[in-house]
Amino acid sequence: MRRFKRDWSYRDRTRERRAVYYEEPHSSQWSRGPRIREEVVTPPLRDHAALSSPMASSVDFKTYVDQACRAAEEFVNIYYETMDKRRRVLTRLYLDKATLIWNGNVVTGLEALANFFEMLPSSEFQVNMLDCQPVHEQATPSQTTVLVVTSGSVKFDGNKQHYFNQNFLLTAHSTPTNTVWKIASDCFRFQDWASS
Amino acid sequence: MRYVYKDLQVRHIPHTTQCTNRKVRWHNEDLMHITVHVWRNRKPPKRDMEDNNHDKSSRSWFKITVPCGRKYDKDWLLNSIQNHCSVPIKPVDFHYVKMQAQFFVQDYCTASALKNASYKIRGEQNQKIRILVNHSTEPHSVQNKLSPEQMEQLKLTVNKRYDVFQKALDLQSLRFDPNLVNHDIDMILNRRSCMTVTLKIIEENFPELLSLNLCSNKLYQLNGLSDIIHKAPKVKILNLSKNKLKSVWELDKIKGMKLDELWLEGNPLCNNFSDHSTYVSAIRNSFPKLLCLDGQHLPQSLNVEMKTPDIMKPCKESYKGSEHLKNLLMNFLQKYYWTYDFGDRQDLVFAYHDEACFSLAIPFIPEDPVPSSLSKYSKGSRNLKKCKDPVLRIQFLKHTKHDIVDFLSVLPKTRHDLNSFLVDVCLQTEKMLCFSVSGLFSEVEGVHQPHVCTFTQTFIAIPANNSSLCIVNEQLSVNDGGPNKTQNSSTPVPTSLSSSKPTLSEEQENMVQAFAIQSGMKREWSLKCLEDNEWNYTIAGQVFTILKAEGTIPEEAFKQSP
């Protein structure tokens, strides 16, 4: 009896460690608030099948574009919301060896990224431009990548408001049931000329 | 195991008859901790004799343990527990023992409510928090409670040791203070109860305390002192010298204090370190803003202060690659923008891959959907925030190289300001290079006042056979520089001009001066113009005349006429 009980709790613990979708904010009022997703997930990718006819290639291209758009929109929502409200888990969106170039400062690796984001003051982002493209297969062989470009305005705590431009390269990790997108590179710059 | 309501005077456990005054713990994964006190040849504590006549419920204390309780914030933990219990909980003597959090409650109802709350509270990683409930003796703070007269005496003594002008309290060797000894008050500050009482007196009488001296009090742990952060938050000077602190870990318990000065000499922990600097850095870990340790001033660590403003300060360029890459990029960009500005845009077809993608986007601000300054770009703009129709989204994405150059050809004529360019290399692999260019350009088509726009162009390129780059993806986003911002937009330019000032030969110096007089431009601008045209005076003059006629030279370049 006792052994059974122990196994149960052990299984619970491992399951909870693996569960990424349930993350409660650490607050004194323990309540199930709206769960903000932590990963960018889209339906599974079609195969990179060998394209024979131009018709097939154009159909596939449309699919890639659609998929890229879907991933990009979902990603941008999650990214900026996480950046504003749940900064500590922002590094979960990045690949292990992702690089961030922040106004010319280069930050590589998850640990450095975590430190960087912790030091950055709290932010309030407003995105008013979003564009994306599926990256050509020749540039990233066997790795579906999407280029996402955003711009808008941001206000960091204790600083004046700046316009910013940011671009991301998202890479896809496919599983049979879904596709998880993570950031491979992130380049952020203030648009200093336009701001007063 | 249910609660066994018995007098806990003496418990005989066969295998422990040998030990005296020892607590024996059995650890059993799924059952409660059982704490057994064994007394032998010792009279039972006073309370048992007194309390025999009292009501049973008033004297039973329960010790509540939360395993791994140290992980959680104290207030959050107590609030969560309170939320799950119907009866108000009055925790007494909340403290940490290794990783566990422990406190005491007084009556049976509270204890059973707490037992029911076990496994109901969920922590951060959604794990269930266990609450263990055990019988216990009175907590120390209750046991060693001082009588009112003793309290008065203690207050007087502490008051005597307080220096009002310096706001300093000297509690050195408090135990042996003659006043206290005479009145039979044993203030062993190591004991949690004594420390708590002292802190309470400080909180009530000297909340503005700045300096506290706890020298020679045989302190070997600082558990009780951790409350000082709340009770006397302004303490800046703390003297813990000549105590028995064995490890720097003890200091973690008072980490929240904003100390300027700390004295630790004479503690065993000082001998743990091989040299002085490791000792200093270990202390600094807990108190990064410490100014003075053991009477020695510490050099201010710069990185802590400097980091935050640095983050916000942008770097100019981020070329962290090889020179070869830098040259490759420079050549490519110069060629690209020259063709774009001055040549036939159809020629750009050589820069693109057959299946390249290009898209253009301008910001979408709901209050001002189509800003007049960017009207020429809005028709082809593929801002996904504005354009929701999937068909249109495909349409606006230019797919083949011919489509792309056709589209580029209809965009307005521009003049890019190469000096304003900032290039970031986002990602570099063997197969591709992703870089982004930000800068300014002005529209030169039929506008008497050149209209300045800011742009960011992101390229993804693969190596081409003639050691150049072949664009596979390109995204251009254009934003308004603003008409009244034309002045501002030129300010970055002089700085980059002045920074590149190699020593000039006399001949060149003369040329610059002559050019400046003839054109009416300032010295730096004349210098730039001559440099750009390879110090060919005639050609420089021609270029200047053309540009002046077009009106693209900002006003700032010209000297103010007196």
Side-chain angles (χ1 to χ4, degrees), chain B residues 211-490:
Chain B
S211 158
L212 180 60
N213 186 342
L214 290 168
C215 178
S216 310
N217 273 301
K218 289 198 187 158
L219 293 173
Y220 62 81
Q221 39 86 3
L222 295 177
N223 293 335
L225 197 55
S226 57
D227 280 338
I228 200 175
I229 301 167
H230 302 290
K231 306 217 169 177
K234 300 208 179 148
V235 171
K236 292 259 176 272
I237 305 172
L238 183 63
N239 189 334
L240 291 168
S241 53
K242 299 200 188 105
N243 281 302
K244 303 240 182 262
L245 297 171
K246 293 211 178 100
S247 127
V248 182
W249 196 70
E250 295 291 336
L251 292 177
D252 275 352
K253 296 172 191 168
I254 48 168
K255 218 172 170 172
M257 291 178 85
K258 300 188 192 77
L259 290 180
D260 283 344
E261 241 185 79
L262 179 62
W263 296 78
L264 286 173
E265 58 189 1
N267 279 296
L269 69 86
C270 301
N271 303 328
N272 289 347
F273 301 97
S274 49
D275 59 59
H276 189 71
S277 50
T278 33
Y279 166 60
V280 172
S281 45
I283 306 294
R284 266 229 154 124
N285 265 340
S286 311
F287 300 103
K289 299 213 174 119
L290 196 64
L291 293 175
C292 186
L293 177 63
D294 290 338
Q296 276 184 343
H297 282 281
L298 299 174
Q300 271 298 292
S301 58
L302 294 167
N303 17 348
V304 181
E305 274 77 38
M306 297 294 280
K307 259 308 184 216
T308 340
D310 248 2
I311 292 290
M312 297 303 291
K313 209 193 298 175
C315 236
K316 268 289 169 179
E317 289 182 354
S318 66
Y319 274 141
K320 298 284 189 285
S322 58
E323 271 303 300
H324 167 74
L325 177 68
K326 185 172 173 180
N327 290 332
L328 180 69
L329 272 176
M330 292 291 279
N331 287 334
F332 174 79
L333 289 173
Q334 274 176 342
K335 197 167 164 202
Y336 183 92
Y337 286 108
W338 197 91
T339 320
Y340 194 92
D341 286 343
F342 300 109
D344 182 6
R345 286 186 190 161
Q346 290 287 338
D347 290 339
L348 286 172
V349 76
F350 300 113
Y352 289 94
H353 188 272
D354 282 337
E355 290 169 2
C357 286
F358 172 88
S359 63
L360 161 72
I362 60 171
F364 172 58
I365 303 158
E367 296 82 38
D368 181 18
V370 182
S372 53
S373 47
L374 298 174
S375 53
K376 297 196 190 75
Y377 298 98
S378 63
K379 271 179 290 185
S381 162
R382 185 177 177 256
N383 185 348
L384 297 180
K385 292 246 165 201
K386 185 178 175 189
C387 170
K388 300 285 185 187
D389 181 11
V391 172
L392 276 180
R393 283 179 173 183
I394 306 264
Q395 213 177 31
F396 285 141
L397 180 66
K398 308 298 164 195
H399 188 37
T400 54
K401 61 183 180 184
H402 291 288
D403 275 348
I404 296 176
V405 295
D406 287 340
F407 179 72
L408 289 177
S409 305
V410 299
L411 287 178
K413 261 222 163 302
T414 57
R415 193 60 50 81
H416 286 82
D417 182 3
L418 268 84
N419 290 317
S420 67
F421 279 11
L422 288 171
V423 181
D424 284 315
V425 177
C426 309
L427 191 66
Q428 185 189 356
T429 66
E430 310 96 51
K431 296 263 172 23
M432 68 97 130
L433 183 66
C434 175
F435 57 98
S436 132
V437 182
S438 314
L440 300 169
F441 69 84
S442 50
E443 280 178 26
V444 291
E445 198 167 9
V447 265
H448 28 264
Q449 167 118 65
H451 177 68
V452 176
C453 296
T454 60
F455 76 95
T456 304
Q457 205 154 355
T458 311
F459 297 89
I460 298 181
I462 53 177
N465 38 19
N466 53 346
S467 79
S468 173
L469 296 170
C470 179
I471 307 174
V472 287
N473 284 87
E474 184 185 331
Q475 201 283 340
L476 170 63
S477 50
V478 181
N479 206 336
D480 197 7
N484 52 344
K485 286 157 188 158
T486 338
Q487 290 297 335
N488 285 344
S489 69
S490 8

Side-chain angles (χ1 to χ4, degrees), chain A residues 1-3 5-6 8-9 12-13 16-17 22-30 32 51 57-58 61-63 65-66 68-70 72-73 76-77 88 92 97 99-106 116 119-121 127-141 145-152 156-157 159-160 162-167 169 184-196, chain B residues 28-31 71-73 75-76 79-80 83-84 120-128 307-308 310-318 320 353 355-366 382-385 387-388 390 393-394 397-399 420-427 429 431-432 434-436 438-440 454-456 458-462 472-481 485 488-489 492:
Chain A
M1 241 350 180
R2 200 188 298 155
R3 204 179 300 143
K5 237 172 136 187
R6 199 183 293 158
W8 188 257
S9 61
D12 268 347
R13 268 181 266 135
E16 272 145 13
R17 243 181 269 137
Y22 298 92
E23 166 101 347
E24 308 295 352
H26 189 185
S27 63
S28 52
Q29 269 96 38
W30 185 79
R32 273 188 197 254
L51 312 168
S57 64
S58 68
F61 179 69
K62 281 209 183 74
T63 323
V65 174
D66 272 334
C69 288
R70 218 186 330 222
E73 283 184 306
V76 160
N77 287 335
R88 331 172 263 115
R92 293 193 194 192
K97 286 179 261 154
T99 320
L100 162 69
I101 302 179
W102 203 92
N103 276 320
N105 298 300
V106 182
F116 177 84
M119 277 198 286
L120 210 54
V127 178
N128 54 30
M129 192 281 281
L130 162 65
D131 196 359
C132 70
Q133 290 178 13
V135 173
H136 196 279
E137 209 237 333
Q138 239 180 313
T140 53
T145 315
V146 168
L147 169 69
V148 178
V149 181
T150 58
S151 92
F156 283 105
D157 213 16
N159 291 275
K160 60 178 161 73
H162 289 265
Y163 289 109
F164 75 92
N165 284 302
Q166 192 165 17
N167 64 52
L169 279 173
S185 95
D186 176 357
C187 176
F188 177 96
R189 255 205 195 265
F190 286 151
Q191 213 180 76
D192 273 327
W193 301 285
S195 58
S196 46
Chain B
N28 211 332
E29 280 298 330
D30 302 297
L31 306 178
K71 280 199 293 195
Y72 310 109
D73 175 50
D75 294 317
W76 175 83
N79 278 334
S80 322
N83 287 339
H84 281 81
K120 292 225 175 74
I121 309 176
R122 281 176 183 266
E124 247 187 45
Q125 273 93 33
N126 220 29
Q127 77 276 41
K128 296 179 189 158
K307 259 308 184 216
T308 340
D310 248 2
I311 292 290
M312 297 303 291
K313 209 193 298 175
C315 236
K316 268 289 169 179
E317 289 182 354
S318 66
K320 298 284 189 285
H353 188 272
E355 290 169 2
C357 286
F358 172 88
S359 63
L360 161 72
I362 60 171
F364 172 58
I365 303 158
R382 185 177 177 256
N383 185 348
L384 297 180
K385 292 246 165 201
C387 170
K388 300 285 185 187
R393 283 179 173 183
I394 306 264
L397 180 66
K398 308 298 164 195
H399 188 37
S420 67
F421 279 11
L422 288 171
V423 181
D424 284 315
V425 177
C426 309
L427 191 66
T429 66
K431 296 263 172 23
M432 68 97 130
C434 175
F435 57 98
S436 132
S438 314
L440 300 169
T454 60
F455 76 95
T456 304
T458 311
F459 297 89
I460 298 181
I462 53 177
V472 287
N473 284 87
E474 184 185 331
Q475 201 283 340
L476 170 63
S477 50
V478 181
N479 206 336
D480 197 7
K485 286 157 188 158
N488 285 344
S489 69

Side-chain angles (χ1 to χ4, degrees), chain A residues 47-106:
Chain A
D47 280 327
H48 254 285
L51 312 168
S52 44
S53 66
M55 270 307 281
S57 64
S58 68
V59 168
D60 262 292
F61 179 69
K62 281 209 183 74
T63 323
Y64 286 135
V65 174
D66 272 334
Q67 178 187 80
C69 288
R70 218 186 330 222
E73 283 184 306
E74 171 127 354
F75 168 76
V76 160
N77 287 335
I78 293 182
Y79 181 87
Y80 289 106
E81 190 162 356
T82 314
M83 175 75 142
D84 283 345
K85 297 187 186 144
R86 302 171 75 222
R87 181 77 67 77
R88 331 172 263 115
V89 298
L90 188 61
T91 48
R92 293 193 194 192
L93 293 171
Y94 287 81
L95 279 180
D96 285 339
K97 286 179 261 154
T99 320
L100 162 69
I101 302 179
W102 203 92
N103 276 320
N105 298 300
V106 182

